[in-house]
Amino acid sequence: MEEFLDNIPPMDLMRSEKMTFVQLIIPVESAHRAISYLGELGILQFRDLNVDKSPFQRTFVNQVKRCAEMSRKLRFFKDQISKAGVLASTRPILQEHIELEELEIRLADHEHELIEMNSNSEKLQQSYNELLEFKMVLQKASVFLVSSNSHSVSEERELNENVFLNDNYVEDGSLLEQEMRPGPSNQSGLRFICGIICKSKVLRFERMLFRATRGNMLFNQAPADVQIMDPISTEMVEKTVFVVFFSGEQARNKVLKICEAFGANCYPVPEDITKQRQITREVSSRLTELEATLDAGIRHRNEALASIGFHLIKWMSMVRREKAVYDTLNMLNFDVTKKCLVGEGWCPIFAKTQIQEALQRATFDSSSQVGIIFHVMDTVESPPTYFRTNRLTSAFQEIVDAYGVARYQEANPAVYTVITFPFLFAVMFGDWGHGICLLLGALFLIARESKLNNQKLGSFMEMLFGGRYVLLLMSLFSIYCGLIYNEFFSVPYHIFGASAYKCRDNSCSDAHTVGLVKYRDPYPFGVDPSWRGSRSELPFLNSLKMKLSILLGIAQMNLGIILSYFNARFTGSSLDIRYQFVPQVIFLNSLFGYLSLLIVIKWCTGSQADLYHVMIYMFLSPFDDLGENELFWGQRPLQIILLMLAIVAVPWMLFPKPFILKKIHTERFQGRTYGMLGTTEIDLEGEPDSARQHQEDFNFSEIFVHQMIHSIEFVLGAVSNTASYLRLWALSLAHSELSTVFYEKVLLLAWGYDSFVIRLIGLAVFSFATAFILLMMETLSAFLHALRLHWVEFQNKFYHGDGHKFKPFSFASIDEEED
């Protein structure tokens, strides 16, 4: 057996890649180029040797600041290009190589030029807005002033005819009459102020004027014909022209202060119509000139932005990479001579040759007289975990890593998750009509993979696109389980033949009433559709799916325990094999493995034994006769033996390991076992709670409590985890019943009417329920439950998940994060 296991070929995903700890001694003149070449290679994770230093105390802090400043300028250019609506080049154009210093100077020049153009454009736009507002005020206010003048002229004519031409007229008239006489206006006469204000502020503005003047004013308004651009927000704003008539210098001061508070712009409008027309012509002429100047400025600015946009992608990538290089150089230390940089890090063993070739190339390209030293070092640190994945396995590896990254060289659950995850999902989803819908969606994402891979997607679409192969396998398994369940949108589908069953007398009228036809041919594939619609349908399907759930759960939990054996064997921990793996297998299979055996025997023999009664009285009355619940000869003695094994397995898990660890620790520090450590089969370095890892602070009580918690968790978890797998039955039943309800109570009910409108409404409701409830919500629900079964019920049998992920210095990952 040992030789067979040793001869099994290794799996790429079963164990993480073997890692090695390396040290680099790089001459200063080759450092930048060497780190750049390693970034392009992307298979070396550097260790920070300056953890105790702040970012501002590191060697290359000034270069990092320069790169950060250039990144700020490039983001400014990108925002300006986006606001201007200029189409930037999506691919970097081919151009000559440019040094970082030259790029820094060029970016500074572009920024200065662009800021100056923006400043001039803002000033011109502000002048243009003011002239445009002045023009609209002249046009709208002249109407109010003309109507006001005509009203005063008619009143003056009436006063001359009735009062001034009267013979009894006395020179000394009333104050009102003196004010109404024609002549030049004085300080206490009628005045007005013209201006323009945002439309949203007009009501509050008028109310404030009314209160400030105590109603002694006349407010006229008219909407502006053209929207005006706000220079701050660059949005088009609707405005309203107003004219306020009042009397007195005090009222004038109040009106001006209110206009200033509300942001209203006031413009001088003469009363003379001739002057108004002359000013309007001058304003129109200046507006025409400003429009031409603004258009020329915008064209020049857009040309400058377009020229920047052609190189923007390349410049941003270059600056990102340079900043990443200097950040990595800050993780290195100078040696004693200050002429070389010393770096340490992790790399896969298979990548050592590639790294050495890249370092040799960096030495040659930098014309350095001293080569770069690359050598392997020993360390007590735990190596990072690195799995090489492809497009299919990467999504499943992310599912596992979301729970926790595997320990170094620990058995990887993703190998089995590739199959078990979509299969358990399909057991709960199980409808091949809905599975085809999911399959079409997955095939659409895969067919457009190359196009969608280069597009910027939303968070939901990005998640869906990343799991396209998970969705593909889930849909394929759903179709398979739907064929087993014989469900197509909850409708029984007869695969073999036109009839689901055959009666010996060709009369099957009572088939659905009785619930089971006594004489019929066995259905060749899946669940017989003759159960559909019968009174026994629900009890039969419940019993079938519940027992299937238990069988699948016990099988997956046994797989997890077997993987714990391979983990212990890989690390050479015989303690874990003898005192964890063996009692766990005995305990689980003595109880629930035996239950699985009874289920299979009952299916094969057609017995009517009550398995609930068998399992309950196995504990309560193990020596009583089973009677009609006996499924095979020798069942009662076998149950007694299995019960005794399960009872013995609990202290077997609990007591031996802590005491053996204590004995090993005591003997080691008494000096009696040093000669045996090299040949003993117990590898103490691989033991999680070994004495070698706790030479000075070995705490027996802590080890014992940890083992007790682990044992109790397994014993209780064997029961709770088995019950947890019943969610496979519950969700499968829920999906089937929901599908049946929507099909029979919505679609068929609506189809029973002759009205086209009712049929259309029923079809719409059925389509909505199918798309959003059965395909979206049920898919998400089954996905989450399958996730829970893998994270808790399966992985807790063997998976520690307390490792740290391999994060190499890579330009490709930097570009992906930025995108």
Side-chain angles (χ1 to χ4, degrees), residues 67-118:
C67 293
E69 179 64 17
M70 285 189 284
S71 298
R72 182 196 62 79
K73 293 175 182 178
L74 290 170
R75 289 194 301 270
F76 170 70
F77 296 151
K78 187 176 181 180
D79 292 340
Q80 292 295 313
I81 290 172
S82 177
K83 289 180 181 179
V86 179
L87 295 177
S89 175
T90 55
R91 296 180 181 178
I93 63 173
L94 296 176
Q95 63 173 4
E96 70 280 359
H97 179 70
I98 181 173
E99 296 295 335
L100 188 65
E101 291 76 11
E102 183 182 352
L103 177 61
E104 186 177 14
I105 297 173
R106 187 178 297 185
L107 292 180
D109 293 339
H110 283 308
E111 185 187 29
H112 178 73
E113 180 185 5
L114 196 57
I115 290 176
E116 187 176 355
M117 284 191 292
N118 288 342

Side-chain angles (χ1 to χ4, degrees), residues 281-299:
R281 286 194 296 270
E282 292 177 0
V283 170
S284 299
S285 176
R286 292 183 61 186
L287 279 174
T288 304
E289 296 175 0
L290 279 177
E291 283 181 1
T293 307
L294 280 172
D295 291 341
I298 291 173
R299 283 196 301 270

Side-chain angles (χ1 to χ4, degrees), residues 55-299:
F56 300 101
Q57 295 175 332
R58 306 205 177 194
T59 307
F60 300 94
V61 61
N62 293 327
Q63 288 83 350
V64 173
K65 289 181 179 179
R66 289 170 57 194
C67 293
E69 179 64 17
M70 285 189 284
S71 298
R72 182 196 62 79
K73 293 175 182 178
L74 290 170
R75 289 194 301 270
F76 170 70
F77 296 151
K78 187 176 181 180
D79 292 340
Q80 292 295 313
I81 290 172
S82 177
K83 289 180 181 179
V86 179
L87 295 177
S89 175
T90 55
R91 296 180 181 178
I93 63 173
L94 296 176
Q95 63 173 4
E96 70 280 359
H97 179 70
I98 181 173
E99 296 295 335
L100 188 65
E101 291 76 11
E102 183 182 352
L103 177 61
E104 186 177 14
I105 297 173
R106 187 178 297 185
L107 292 180
D109 293 339
H110 283 308
E111 185 187 29
H112 178 73
E113 180 185 5
L114 196 57
I115 290 176
E116 187 176 355
M117 284 191 292
N118 288 342
S119 177
N120 294 334
S121 178
E122 288 177 3
K123 292 178 181 178
L124 290 174
Q125 186 66 43
Q126 186 175 0
S127 300
Y128 179 81
N129 289 346
E130 291 177 354
L131 288 175
L132 186 60
E133 289 180 351
F134 193 14
K135 180 180 179 181
M136 288 188 289
V137 168
L138 287 170
Q139 292 174 350
K140 299 294 182 180
S142 61
V143 178
F144 300 136
L145 295 177
V146 168
S147 61
S148 176
N149 288 335
S150 61
H151 181 66
S152 61
V153 168
S154 62
E155 289 182 351
E156 181 182 350
R157 185 181 300 113
E158 182 180 358
L159 193 60
N160 286 331
E161 292 177 354
N162 298 329
V163 179
F164 297 131
L165 298 179
N166 193 347
D167 295 338
N168 299 326
Y169 174 71
V170 183
E171 192 66 25
D172 296 332
S174 64
L175 291 176
L176 178 60
E177 293 170 354
Q178 290 180 9
E179 288 185 8
M180 294 301 294
R181 291 179 186 176
S185 61
N186 51 26
Q187 292 296 323
S188 61
L190 186 64
R191 300 184 179 189
F192 65 90
I193 290 178
C194 302
I196 191 168
I197 191 173
C198 291
K199 187 177 180 180
S200 59
K201 301 179 181 179
V202 171
L203 292 178
R204 290 180 288 133
F205 180 63
E206 183 179 2
R207 189 179 299 113
M208 183 61 70
L209 287 174
F210 184 83
R211 291 176 180 176
T213 60
R214 298 183 179 180
N216 294 321
M217 64 92 189
L218 178 63
F219 185 83
N220 290 324
Q221 59 174 320
D225 297 333
V226 181
Q227 292 184 346
I228 299 174
M229 180 185 294
D230 187 355
I232 299 177
S233 62
T234 65
E235 295 180 356
M236 303 303 293
V237 181
E238 293 184 358
K239 293 200 172 185
T240 300
V241 178
F242 65 88
V243 179
V244 182
F245 294 94
F246 56 88
S247 177
E249 184 67 22
Q250 187 177 3
R252 178 178 178 275
N253 293 333
K254 290 182 179 180
V255 172
L256 289 176
K257 288 182 180 179
I258 294 173
C259 291
E260 183 180 358
F262 277 84
N265 298 326
C266 299
Y267 297 96
V269 178
E271 297 184 26
D272 190 2
I273 298 179
T274 305
K275 290 183 179 180
Q276 291 179 9
R277 292 174 180 173
Q278 182 181 356
I279 295 175
T280 303
R281 286 194 296 270
E282 292 177 0
V283 170
S284 299
S285 176
R286 292 183 61 186
L287 279 174
T288 304
E289 296 175 0
L290 279 177
E291 283 181 1
T293 307
L294 280 172
D295 291 341
I298 291 173
R299 283 196 301 270

Side-chain angles (χ1 to χ4, degrees), residues 745-814:
K745 303 302 180 182
V746 176
L747 186 62
L748 292 184
L749 188 64
W751 227 252
Y753 292 88
D754 294 333
S755 174
F756 174 76
V757 176
I758 295 178
R759 290 185 176 184
L760 187 62
I761 293 175
L763 182 62
V765 173
F766 177 76
S767 302
F768 177 85
T770 299
F772 291 96
I773 297 179
L774 298 178
L775 288 181
M776 292 182 65
M777 292 181 62
E778 285 289 310
T779 299
L780 180 61
S781 175
F783 181 90
L784 294 177
H785 283 283
L787 200 64
R788 185 254 155 66
L789 290 176
H790 281 77
W791 281 357
V792 179
E793 279 70 27
F794 173 53
Q795 292 179 188
N796 71 351
K797 301 294 184 298
F798 68 98
Y799 189 62
H800 293 92
D802 55 358
H804 55 281
K805 202 169 186 178
F806 178 60
K807 297 180 180 178
F809 171 61
S810 172
F811 289 150
S813 61
I814 294 172

Side-chain angles (χ1 to χ4, degrees), residues 326-338:
Y326 286 116
D327 284 334
T328 304
L329 286 172
N330 278 330
M331 301 170 69
L332 277 59
N333 265 339
F334 276 102
D335 65 345
V336 179
T337 63
K338 301 294 182 181

Side-chain angles (χ1 to χ4, degrees), residues 486-505:
N486 220 338
E487 291 184 2
F488 175 73
F489 291 108
S490 79
V491 184
Y493 183 80
H494 310 316
I495 300 178
F496 298 96
S499 175
Y501 53 89
K502 297 179 181 178
C503 298
R504 174 168 293 185
D505 56 356

